[in-house]
Amino acid sequence: MRPMIGITTYYVKNHEGHKNKPRGMAGQDMLMSTMDYSRCIQKADGIPLTIPVIDAEWYMDELVDRLDGFLFTGGPDIYPIHYHQPLKTGVGRIVPERDAFELKLMKKVLEKDKPILGICRGFQLINVYFGGTLYQDLYTEKITSMKHVGDVLPKYYPAHKVRLKENSKVFEAFDKNEIFVNSFHHQAVEKIGEGLIETGWSEDGIVEGLEHKNYSFVVGVQWHPEMMAEIYDEQLSIFKLFINAIKNK
């Protein structure tokens, strides 16, 4: 039996208008997900299933019982109240409903020790869940001059290098000390959450990889391997590692 993987989704609210709503009627909330995530899970021999933002305890409990692993995906900025900071200049769009739902879901997934892969926002969400903090905007806070928002390039083009920690899960996935990655984030990990280990760094020292030392598989990456995998086969490796961790659990 191939493992079933829950994939978190964008929650586009009814009042956001047609600019952010490519489909649907006025007054309808929308569930959205890029196909890149689902295609990578399928190529890695898993069954992708998208998860709507529905804040109901029994619904989340049954998701966690029935699904084998969870992919926490990219998206808007996380509400800074969750890491005990006020809103700062440079913070972007926030969807509080999605934040609350995903943090609650993550708690339930961890209680069952089911494997988690976090990408970009999902990577940052892992850090926030374990008590870490984020830079709300790398450039307003003058953390780096390197461009981490690679919107001048196609989605799969490399933007910079990432150095990987030996004996980490991301190193196991790629089997090398250094890889090229794309980049689509203006926020980054600041303080590391409790129990998390840094496993990757960009050339300017920004943390690009995390894993938790006390769970079977809690891994996060700051870049978007699901976009790069369209051209670079090696980027599928992180999804294969995730799926294999579930199969071997």
Side-chain angles (χ1 to χ4, degrees):
M1 295 287 287
R2 291 178 174 85
M4 294 190 296
I5 308 301
I7 301 174
T8 62
T9 58
Y10 285 85
Y11 176 49
V12 184
K13 292 178 283 186
N14 64 63
H15 60 76
E16 293 189 66
H18 293 292
K19 181 180 177 182
N20 293 312
K21 289 182 67 177
R23 296 288 186 272
M25 300 295 290
Q28 289 183 310
D29 295 336
M30 300 293 292
L31 158 73
M32 292 179 63
S33 177
T34 68
M35 287 296 294
D36 295 331
Y37 296 113
S38 293
R39 288 182 180 126
C40 284
I41 292 296
Q42 182 270 323
K43 287 178 181 177
D45 209 33
I47 299 172
L49 298 166
T50 52
I51 298 175
V53 175
I54 300 174
D55 189 9
E57 293 289 335
W58 68 263
Y59 161 71
M60 286 185 271
D61 289 339
E62 292 206 24
L63 282 176
V64 174
D65 285 341
R66 296 185 188 196
L67 300 181
D68 302 299
F70 291 81
L71 171 55
F72 287 82
T73 62
D77 292 352
I78 297 166
Y79 190 14
I81 198 170
H82 292 299
Y83 48 97
H84 310 294
Q85 288 185 9
L87 291 173
K88 296 181 181 178
T89 302
V91 71
R93 177 172 171 265
I94 294 168
V95 182
E97 297 92 338
R98 181 177 174 184
D99 296 336
F101 171 78
E102 290 187 5
L103 287 166
K104 194 180 295 185
L105 179 63
M106 187 171 286
K107 180 177 186 294
K108 292 175 181 293
V109 174
L110 290 167
E111 286 171 352
K112 300 278 187 177
D113 195 22
K114 293 202 172 179
I116 288 174
L117 175 62
I119 292 176
C120 198
R121 168 197 155 88
F123 160 82
Q124 295 171 3
L125 193 77
I126 290 170
N127 189 56
V128 168
Y129 178 85
F130 286 106
T133 63
L134 304 177
Y135 295 113
Q136 291 187 38
D137 185 74
L138 289 170
Y139 308 105
T140 304
E141 298 183 50
K142 295 181 169 56
I143 305 303
T144 182
S145 61
M146 201 167 94
K147 187 172 174 64
H148 283 267
V149 186
D151 52 2
V152 296
L153 293 166
K155 65 179 183 178
Y156 41 72
Y157 271 53
H160 60 76
K161 296 176 184 176
V162 165
R163 176 171 54 89
L164 301 179
K165 176 183 174 65
E166 291 192 22
N167 301 317
S168 67
K169 287 183 167 62
V170 285
F171 184 88
E172 181 184 345
F174 293 98
D175 196 27
K176 58 175 72 172
N177 295 103
E178 195 173 77
I179 59 173
F180 282 98
V181 304
N182 59 3
S183 194
F184 295 97
H185 64 104
H186 76 105
Q187 298 192 313
V189 165
E190 183 185 32
K191 186 187 81 172
I192 303 297
E194 186 177 352
L196 292 170
I197 302 167
E198 298 178 25
T199 60
W201 306 266
S202 55
E203 293 155 276
D204 54 357
I206 297 296
V207 179
E208 297 264 345
L210 291 170
E211 65 182 61
H212 203 285
K213 63 183 181 180
N214 297 331
Y215 292 91
S216 59
F217 193 98
V218 176
V219 173
V221 296
Q222 181 62 84
W223 69 95
H224 281 271
E226 83 286 357
M227 297 184 191
M228 295 191 76
E230 184 174 320
I231 299 294
Y232 299 98
D233 288 340
E234 77 166 0
Q235 291 289 335
L236 196 60
S237 300
I238 192 73
F239 297 96
K240 291 178 178 177
L241 187 78
F242 175 49
I243 297 299
N244 286 336
I246 296 168
K247 290 179 177 179
N248 298 328
K249 202 170 183 302

